[in-house]
Amino acid sequence: MKQTWKELKYSLYVTVHPFKGFWDIKYEKEGSLKTAMILLAATILVQIISNLKTGYLFGWVSVNYNFLRTVASSLFLFFSWCLANWCLTCLSDGKGTFKDIMMFTAYSLVPYIILQFVMVILSNIFILREQTFYDMLGTLSFVWVAFLLVTGMLTTHHFTLTRTLVVLAFTIVGMIVIALLIILVFTMFQQVLGFVAAVIDEAVQRVSY
Amino acid sequence: MKLRKLGLVLGLAAALFASSCPKAEAYYTESSSNSTYIYGKWGVPLKSPDAYDYSRTVDLRSVGGYDLANLIDMCVTDEYIYIVESSLGIIFRFDRTMKYVDCLQEFTMPDGSTSTLLKPEGIYVAPDGKVYIADTGNSRVLVSDWKGEVSLELLKPENLVGTTLSTFLPIRVVADSAGRINVVARNINSGIMQFTSEGYFTGYIGAPSVSVDAFTKLLRMFYTDAQRAAMTTYVPTEYNNIKIDENNFIWGTISALTESDLASTIGSQDLSGAVTPIKKLNMKGSDVLVRQGDYAPVGDLMWSSGPSRIVDVGLGPNNIYSMLDSNRGRIFTYNTNGIMLYTFGGKGTAKGETQTPIAIDYVGDDIFVLDSGLCSVVIFEPTVYGKLLIDAEWYYQEGEYDIANECWRQVTELNSNFAYPYVGLGDAEYNNGNYEEAMAYYQFAEDRTSYSNAKERIRKDTMSVNFPYIVGAVLLFAVLFVGKGIYVKVRRYVKGELMTYGRDEE
């Protein structure tokens, strides 16, 4: 417990000292998968809070909002990123394991968690005239996370910057491929299930007559 | 266990893909004619109570011993209704209950000769009784009185510039209170022709200013004169109809708009009026129509058989105006701010439907539509709901906000699809200082700007009440923070001293 707390505090250190931070997470046992998963959960939680509690002026709350949707899409994004990144870095001599990738990705999300939370509060205080500041915070959180992802990848895989950026681009392509594959599998399952259901239906009809 | 995990993952992914976006549901299709609707914030038609009811149809196929076939224009004054029959070249006069009074066929020219009309297309009767006739077949505009004494004959102006017009084909004419004559002529796309009361052509008004961007200007520098001449193009603004209101604003309608232009105007919620089927022109000829709705007044926002083709505008009570769509026979009514109040009407042969609607006018609160196809006038009268809308506008414009709001409240009870009244109700609460209630109304009306203003007032109030506490809290934190820093430093210093001291002792 105390260890987890220490690691969570260290995740804050990582956001401002990414190069040393990510190195320490991987090699100096300053981080763990458990903490990474806590951070992931926090991200999803903040995302849900943001979807529900953002002020009227800045939010577009759908009447039929379903938090499972947020959970699923966040998890999908996270794991497809990790998987695609792992696939590509394996091929391009990356030094990170799947566990390392999950860790650096989750640790990179810390600025997003903090800033999104701040934004939810501010969205209930700000008026339209101050929208610029609100939007700026949003942009800042994304840029920061992107920067952390790049440095995280760089440190974890022992890549050069060019290679990191190339792998990053291909990782995004990989994510799209994964999404397509999942859709494909689903459509196929649907067809198969539909077929089985039809067969059962037919059989029941025949037997009952 | 593994299977369950797989199931969980699959389930989550299914939730991701299966939950689709909320579908925009079309409550009405354009085939359901004759029922009243409005357009909501998202440009989707929403049901509305009937604002106008079909009252009766006046058959005009045989009037005063004449067989009428080709009715083309209508003009309403305080006493009479004038209708032009084009094939016969006769102007018929009815009273405001559409009872036939008399007609005008023969004219006495200023030089004493008699003259008749040839395929006239437009009529305007000024409040002082002067009759202005666009005598299209004879290429002239006649100004006369009801006895047929012509006081002015307007022919093709000799000082006509900027056009290669061969024949002058006036189709609509209006005159303002100073006697200035405005003419819409066929095949002229430079705007409305303006003449002095003596018949001198002074120029065009209402043509869009052609804006030239910097790049084109740069290119022009390298062009030859011939190329430059070829480049001069007019943006087509062929007016098909004009009306004039009591404040001398000229209302022009335009139907020569491309479907894609209209679609992009609607899609981008463009309120600039660059592409518009209706213009309200001031003396200078600039468009002063107020467009404050979510969409500019263009008629239908969704269509499958072409956009609305606006052929006339009826100027109603309290600055309400109705546009007539000859494509689907619809009547689109907007208030002075350009908010759509209701849309009704349709094409067909059933009661309250028209075949070839060509002109629309308000007679009091009633709407008269001239149907050239059925050779009749279709009359609609306001329902309780329609009357409420008219009254609300009246009281609002008179500054009786409390009564206006009572009207709006009743409107919201009758029509929960109509967001606009909630803005008015919100404004009322705002003016009374009830910002919380105002915010609720604004949120209902999806009016974020007003909501933001109300919120600012609340924030100001809370801030001024709580300001001492906030400052106190900040100060307290600052003191604690600095205090802690000092404490730590002092402690470290003391400890350091002790340690050094201790070390020294050793």
Side-chain angles (χ1 to χ4, degrees):
Chain A
M1 191 65 209
K2 207 175 173 192
Q3 178 67 22
T4 313
W5 182 245
K6 210 182 123 201
E7 280 167 8
L8 280 175
K9 264 177 42 185
Y10 195 75
S11 73
L12 289 173
Y13 176 82
V14 174
T15 55
V16 278
H17 301 90
F19 287 99
K20 185 176 186 300
F22 284 122
W23 184 270
D24 288 354
I25 287 168
K26 190 177 170 188
Y27 294 106
E28 308 294 333
K29 300 272 179 285
E30 291 282 7
S32 68
L33 194 60
K34 192 177 153 198
T35 314
M37 287 304 110
I38 290 171
L39 289 174
L40 177 63
T43 313
I44 296 170
L45 193 69
V46 160
Q47 186 65 46
I48 292 168
I49 290 171
S50 150
N51 279 341
L52 288 175
K53 289 291 163 201
T54 297
Y56 167 69
L57 288 174
F58 301 97
W60 297 87
V61 180
S62 169
V63 191
N64 44 13
Y65 174 73
N66 186 351
F67 80 93
L68 279 178
R69 194 175 140 81
T70 311
V71 174
S73 58
S74 306
L75 283 178
F76 171 77
L77 277 177
F78 182 81
F79 284 107
S80 66
W81 159 271
C82 293
L83 192 63
N85 194 265
W86 179 68
C87 292
L88 282 156
T89 47
C90 270
L91 293 174
S92 57
D93 285 340
K95 297 287 182 288
T97 61
F98 192 70
K99 186 187 154 197
D100 293 337
I101 293 169
M102 292 215 295
M103 267 159 58
F104 91 74
T105 311
Y107 273 76
S108 303
L109 292 172
V110 172
Y112 181 80
I113 299 169
I114 296 164
L115 284 176
Q116 200 68 33
F117 195 72
V118 172
M119 277 166 76
V120 171
I121 295 168
L122 287 182
S123 76
N124 287 294
I125 297 169
F126 276 3
I127 57 174
L128 276 188
R129 213 180 305 139
E130 290 134 6
Q131 189 168 20
T132 326
F133 301 106
Y134 180 81
D135 292 345
M136 218 160 68
L137 274 182
T139 320
L140 178 69
S141 76
F142 278 106
V143 170
W144 202 342
V145 167
F147 173 68
L148 287 184
L149 278 175
V150 169
T151 32
M153 205 150 89
L154 207 93
T155 321
T156 313
H157 295 305
H158 298 201
F159 277 170
T160 58
L161 185 63
T162 342
R163 180 172 271 199
T164 309
L165 293 177
V166 171
V167 170
L168 185 81
F170 276 102
T171 304
I172 290 162
V173 175
M175 285 167 77
I176 295 167
V177 171
I178 291 171
L180 286 176
L181 280 176
I182 289 178
I183 292 171
L184 202 73
V185 168
F186 264 104
T187 330
M188 249 164 58
F189 261 92
Q190 226 168 17
Q191 300 266 336
V192 170
L193 283 179
F195 174 72
V196 172
V199 167
I200 292 169
D201 212 33
E202 188 70 22
V204 168
Q205 295 280 336
R206 300 253 162 188
V207 167
S208 59
Y209 276 113
Chain B
M1 189 60 206
K2 250 190 179 170
L3 211 72
R4 253 178 69 189
K5 259 189 182 168
L6 183 74
L8 187 71
V9 171
L10 284 180
L12 284 172
L16 170 67
F17 285 107
S19 53
S20 53
C21 302
K23 282 189 195 99
E25 210 176 309
Y27 295 88
Y28 263 74
T29 57
E30 61 179 62
S31 59
S32 68
S33 65
N34 217 356
S35 35
T36 308
Y37 62 91
I38 53 168
Y39 279 98
K41 184 169 178 80
W42 315 113
V44 180
L46 301 169
K47 270 186 183 180
S48 163
D50 285 336
Y52 271 76
D53 256 352
Y54 167 74
S55 166
R56 66 200 169 95
T57 304
V58 182
D59 189 353
L60 297 176
R61 274 173 298 187
S62 160
V63 175
Y66 296 99
D67 285 331
L68 278 59
N70 195 3
L71 303 177
I72 196 143
D73 195 16
M74 177 167 63
C75 178
V76 175
T77 66
D78 289 342
E79 286 174 88
Y80 299 108
I81 295 164
Y82 300 82
I83 292 176
V84 181
E85 213 288 355
S86 187
S87 335
L88 299 171
I90 305 177
I91 295 151
F92 292 89
R93 183 157 78 160
F94 304 84
D95 68 6
R96 281 166 71 102
T97 58
M98 284 309 287
K99 210 171 280 161
Y100 173 66
V101 182
D102 53 1
C103 65
L104 178 59
Q105 193 169 14
E106 293 235 325
F107 293 86
T108 320
M109 302 306 287
D111 59 7
S113 61
T114 56
S115 177
T116 53
L117 305 175
L118 180 65
K119 294 201 175 300
E121 291 195 21
I123 174 91
Y124 174 72
V125 182
D128 60 5
K130 268 190 182 171
V131 183
Y132 297 78
I133 302 153
D135 191 3
T136 316
N138 285 329
S139 297
R140 63 181 181 180
V141 171
L142 290 183
V143 185
S144 81
D145 57 12
W146 190 248
K147 293 189 197 87
E149 298 280 347
V150 175
S151 56
L152 180 70
E153 185 185 26
L154 266 183
L155 293 167
K156 179 186 169 187
E158 273 148 27
N159 55 343
L160 204 59
V161 286
T163 176
T164 51
L165 185 73
S166 52
T167 43
F168 176 50
L169 296 171
I171 55 169
R172 292 288 189 275
V173 56
V174 293
D176 62 17
S177 57
R180 254 171 308 199
I181 305 164
N182 299 282
V183 176
V184 172
R186 190 165 288 140
N187 300 332
I188 284 197
N189 53 19
S190 324
I192 295 164
M193 302 173 80
Q194 204 164 45
F195 297 84
T196 62
S197 53
E198 288 83 37
Y200 182 74
F201 175 64
T202 51
Y204 298 101
I205 62 162
S209 52
V210 181
S211 58
V212 182
D213 57 59
F215 183 66
T216 319
K217 270 183 189 161
L218 194 77
L219 275 183
R220 274 177 78 95
M221 287 168 66
F222 301 101
Y223 280 177
T224 62
D225 284 344
Q227 276 174 318
R228 266 177 228 170
M231 241 183 80
T232 320
T233 48
Y234 287 102
V235 179
T237 6
E238 212 174 304
Y239 288 91
N240 55 22
N241 214 327
I242 44 174
K243 284 277 166 73
I244 194 157
D245 63 16
E246 66 264 34
N247 299 320
N248 284 335
F249 287 111
I250 296 168
W251 296 69
T253 54
I254 299 150
S255 57
L257 301 169
T258 63
E259 186 168 349
S260 58
D261 278 355
L262 268 176
S264 72
T265 303
I266 294 164
S268 59
Q269 304 194 337
D270 181 6
L271 299 178
S272 68
V275 177
T276 176
I278 185 159
K279 284 186 179 183
K280 181 187 182 183
L281 304 172
N282 64 8
M283 298 274 205
K284 274 172 65 193
S286 27
D287 186 10
V288 292
L289 190 72
V290 183
R291 298 179 176 87
Q292 286 178 348
D294 295 309
Y295 300 87
V298 292
D300 270 324
L301 304 180
M302 292 167 92
W303 59 74
S304 61
S305 55
S308 305
R309 198 173 170 279
I310 307 301
V311 291
D312 196 10
V313 59
L315 305 175
N318 315 329
N319 299 320
I320 289 173
Y321 60 97
S322 294
M323 308 196 303
L324 182 65
D325 164 21
S326 74
N327 191 9
R328 277 181 289 275
R330 300 266 161 83
I331 294 161
F332 303 95
T333 305
Y334 299 87
N335 75 357
T336 180
N337 292 331
I339 313 285
M340 182 184 271
L341 298 179
Y342 44 82
T343 298
F344 67 96
K347 270 190 160 178
T349 46
K351 277 180 178 176
E353 293 180 337
T354 48
Q355 289 256 297
T356 317
I358 194 149
I360 183 172
D361 263 303
Y362 274 86
V363 178
D365 289 349
D366 294 354
I367 293 177
F368 282 41
V369 177
L370 183 66
D371 183 357
S372 118
L374 288 177
C375 219
S376 58
V377 169
V378 186
I379 300 172
F380 300 92
E381 57 188 13
T383 60
V384 176
Y385 176 70
K387 202 87 183 109
L388 264 178
L389 289 172
I390 294 172
D391 287 349
E393 288 295 326
W394 164 257
Y395 288 119
Y396 189 77
Q397 282 161 35
E398 287 294 304
E400 301 272 2
Y401 297 122
D402 289 343
I403 311 177
N405 276 314
E406 191 43 46
C407 290
W408 285 129
R409 207 180 301 279
Q410 288 179 39
V411 167
T412 59
E413 277 165 20
L414 290 169
N415 184 3
S416 52
N417 281 338
F418 193 21
Y420 176 68
Y422 291 104
V423 180
L425 294 173
D427 285 346
E429 296 290 356
Y430 183 91
N431 290 336
N432 292 334
N434 303 328
Y435 303 121
E436 295 275 357
E437 286 82 357
M439 275 162 74
Y441 280 126
Y442 289 142
Q443 191 168 352
F444 233 85
E446 289 278 347
D447 187 345
R448 274 161 208 263
T449 320
S450 304
Y451 182 95
S452 175
N453 291 340
K455 189 173 182 172
E456 190 180 8
R457 300 299 288 263
I458 288 185
R459 205 173 61 174
K460 221 177 191 172
D461 290 353
T462 12
M463 274 300 263
S464 58
V465 170
N466 297 323
F467 192 67
Y469 301 108
I470 294 167
V471 170
V474 169
L475 277 179
L476 193 69
F477 269 105
V479 167
L480 282 180
F481 194 72
V482 173
K484 192 195 166 200
I486 293 169
Y487 170 73
V488 167
K489 273 212 174 123
V490 168
R491 214 182 102 180
R492 193 176 290 159
Y493 178 75
V494 171
K495 259 193 176 170
E497 284 283 275
L498 285 176
M499 276 170 81
T500 349
Y501 183 70
R503 222 174 272 145
D504 275 358
E505 267 209 327
E506 269 180 1

